[in-house]
Amino acid sequence: VKNKKEKIYECEVKRLFMKNGQRVWKWKRVLASEVIRHEKIRCYCCRGQVRLHKKKIPTGPSDHVEHFRRIDSEGCPLGCYFLGVKLHSTLMID
Ligand SMILES: [Zn+2]
């Protein structure tokens, strides 16, 4: 998302969990600050692709994510371009 600055402080991250002795990949909602680089992430609301921004300078914005596509931002209540109708991303990450 260009132009406007979108700041979402939580996202979903895909991690390995143990279930009945099996390792399974599951989505977990975490703070953007808890995401490790190169982990697979998505918006927890529309499941669209998001970009991670880590804090770079002490006075800069805290760790956050923003929608990768403007169209996802338009259909997501978390988006700064939200048009009022909640939609799942047309390119959901799973
Ligand atoms: Zn979203």
Side-chain angles (χ1 to χ4, degrees), residues 31-93:
L31 289 168
S33 56
E34 295 169 25
V35 176
I36 300 157
R37 278 202 189 280
H38 309 302
E39 279 190 306
K40 194 173 181 182
I41 57 172
R42 71 179 182 185
C43 175
Y44 66 83
C45 191
C46 70
R47 299 179 185 171
Q49 191 178 2
V50 290
R51 193 196 309 263
L52 179 65
H53 293 275
K54 288 285 191 185
K55 189 170 182 168
K56 293 191 186 76
I57 53 170
T59 53
S62 307
D63 297 353
H64 63 279
V65 299
E66 65 175 357
H67 290 102
F68 199 77
R69 287 182 208 81
R70 167 115 176 208
I71 194 166
D72 288 345
S73 180
E74 290 175 350
C76 180
L78 303 174
C80 65
Y81 292 104
F82 185 48
L83 298 176
V85 180
K86 185 183 168 183
L87 302 166
H88 274 308
S89 171
T90 51
L91 286 167
M92 284 195 284
I93 309 285

Side-chain angles (χ1 to χ4, degrees), residues 2-17:
K2 300 272 182 341
N3 311 323
K4 278 199 208 179
K5 279 287 162 216
E6 192 167 82
K7 292 189 189 68
I8 304 165
Y9 296 100
E10 288 175 77
C11 65
E12 282 189 330
V13 64
K14 205 166 199 182
R15 286 186 179 155
L16 268 178
F17 292 88

Side-chain angles (χ1 to χ4, degrees), residues 17-31:
F17 292 88
M18 290 297 281
K19 191 185 175 190
N20 304 324
Q22 298 270 318
R23 300 166 99 206
V24 287
W25 288 97
K26 285 174 75 172
W27 289 102
K28 183 177 189 286
R29 185 168 156 180
V30 298
L31 289 168

